[in-house]
């Protein structure tokens, strides 16, 4: 698990500078728009790679990006992929498919695909971001929650990434009805993440299905199908669940550390 946590932390470090620049740029954009008295705008239908967007954004074609994809610039922004793909240059890049900074109430809606980025979706310092019906594949991390509150991820597909969903220093996540398969290191991993619900997900074919570290507390992992992983459920490499007050219930799985967390398949 050292490798996995190192990947998360190195990704935080790699993205932190870019995220700071993004937030500054967003603030500049928002101030300029406020000065212009910008209200009642029609939906954006042809955003460009690297564009700061706000309001309702509806893709009408694929985006093939050599840098970042889209950067959220205001509270309440909705991105609808409309069946299209935001594509980067590969998971070893330092780029992000959709970046959410300090904004509140952002929605990212499929169907559609985000692929070939260091992070498919990065939510850093945000609150109430919702991600639904999106396919995220061939990224280093499909969805990265960093220092945010109340992320909702529902009915997404995360496949062929290094990690499906990674959360660091976050709280109040709700991850439900996602299909998370074939990710190299882990399907879901929580580091210093509290009071979250992971339920009714299919998590398969990774080194670790669901991993929760010793600094994550008060999380509920329930009613998931966690199968065909090298280790299906992992609470801090065998830490007793009463130590960090995480609960595991009604999960269909075969292997866990500590033992006894699985419901017989």
């Amino acid at each position: 698990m050292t490798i996995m946590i190192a990947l998360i932390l190195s990704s935080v470090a790699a993205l932190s500078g870019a995220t700071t620049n993004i937030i500054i740029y967003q603030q500049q954009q928002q101030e300029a728009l406020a000065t212009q008295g910008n209200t009642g705008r029609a939906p954006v239908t042809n955003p460009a790679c690297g564009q700061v967007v706000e309001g309702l954004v509806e893709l009408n074609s694929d985006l093939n990006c050599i840098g970042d994809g889209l950067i959220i610039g205001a509270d309440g922004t909705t991105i609808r992929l409309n069946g299209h793909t935001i594509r980067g240059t590969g998971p070893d890049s330092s780029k992000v498919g959709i970046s959410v900074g300090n904004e509140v109430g952002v929605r990212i809606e499929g169907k559609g695909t985000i692929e070939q980025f260091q992070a498919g979706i990065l939510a850093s310092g945000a609150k109430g971001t919702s991600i639904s019906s999106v396919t995220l594949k061939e990224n280093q991390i499909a969805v990265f929650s960093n220092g945010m509150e109340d992320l909702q991820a529902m009915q997404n597909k995360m496949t062929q990434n290094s990690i499906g969903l990674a959360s660091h220093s976050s709280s109040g996540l709700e991850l439900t009805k996602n299909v998370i398969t074939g990710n190299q290191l882990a399907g879901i991993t929580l580091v210093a993440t509290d009071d979250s619900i992971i339920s009714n997900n299919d998590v398969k074919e990774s080194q670790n299905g669901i991993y929760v570290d010793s600094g994550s507390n008060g999380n509920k992992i329930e009613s998931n199908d966690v199968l065909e992983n090298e280790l299906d459920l992992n609470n801090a490499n065998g830490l007793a669940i009463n130590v960090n007050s995480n609960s595991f219930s009604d999960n269909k799985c075969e292997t866990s550390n500590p033992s006894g967390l699985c419901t017989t398949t």
Side-chain angles (χ1 to χ4, degrees):
M1 297 315 302
T2 302
I3 295 174
M4 184 176 67
I5 295 172
L7 173 58
I8 296 172
L9 295 176
S10 65
S11 297
V12 171
L15 290 167
S16 60
T19 303
T20 302
N21 293 334
I22 287 167
I23 292 170
I24 292 171
Y25 186 29
Q26 288 170 346
Q27 291 171 343
Q28 292 170 343
Q29 289 280 348
Q30 291 166 18
E31 290 168 1
L33 289 170
T35 301
Q36 295 167 11
N38 187 11
T39 59
R41 299 175 65 186
V44 176
T45 57
N46 57 344
C49 294
Q51 183 174 344
V52 177
V53 296
E54 63 175 56
L56 176 59
V57 182
E58 297 187 337
L59 270 64
N60 62 7
S61 63
D62 293 351
L63 292 179
N64 295 299
C65 304
I66 59 173
D68 293 318
L70 299 177
I71 301 165
I72 304 300
D75 293 349
T77 296
T78 295
I79 294 180
R80 294 177 180 162
L81 297 176
N82 285 339
H84 296 292
T85 296
I86 302 176
R87 182 178 296 109
T89 58
D92 294 330
S93 72
S94 61
K95 307 305 178 183
V96 174
I98 296 178
S99 180
V100 187
N102 290 327
E103 291 77 26
V104 176
V106 171
R107 300 177 65 88
I108 302 169
E109 301 176 352
K111 297 182 176 178
T113 301
I114 302 172
E115 62 182 28
Q116 295 285 321
F117 290 97
Q118 183 180 52
I121 296 172
L122 169 66
S124 183
K127 184 174 182 179
T129 299
S130 172
I131 306 165
S132 60
S133 302
V134 178
T135 296
L136 299 114
K137 66 177 185 177
E138 299 172 2
N139 305 283
Q140 191 171 130
I141 300 176
V143 176
F144 198 163
S145 168
N146 180 36
M148 77 160 294
E149 299 177 15
D150 303 332
L151 171 72
Q152 294 182 327
M154 302 159 290
Q155 297 181 324
N156 301 288
K157 182 177 181 180
M158 307 176 200
T159 186
Q160 297 177 320
N161 308 281
S162 292
I163 298 174
L165 185 140
S167 176
H168 187 278
S169 301
S170 299
S171 64
L173 281 67
E174 293 185 24
L175 315 178
T176 59
K177 298 183 179 179
N178 300 286
V179 177
I180 304 173
T181 62
N183 300 288
Q184 181 185 1
L185 294 177
I188 297 171
T189 178
L190 306 183
V191 174
T193 294
D194 300 330
D195 302 322
S196 298
I197 298 174
I198 301 172
S199 66
N200 295 289
N201 301 284
D202 288 335
V203 185
K204 298 179 180 179
E205 300 173 356
S206 299
Q207 289 182 24
N208 279 256
I210 299 175
Y211 172 79
V212 183
D213 86 325
S214 60
S216 296
N217 300 278
N219 301 289
K220 296 180 180 179
I221 297 92
E222 56 191 25
S223 303
N224 300 283
D225 287 349
V226 191
L227 297 165
E228 302 173 25
N229 305 283
E230 292 183 24
L231 180 58
D232 294 326
L233 297 177
N234 187 344
N235 189 62
N237 296 327
L239 184 69
I241 60 175
N242 64 309
V243 175
N244 52 3
S245 300
N246 296 310
S247 65
F248 294 78
S249 62
D250 299 319
N251 296 290
K252 294 182 180 178
C253 59
E254 296 177 342
T255 58
S256 70
N257 191 15
S259 62
L261 304 183
C262 293
T263 299
T264 303
T265 58

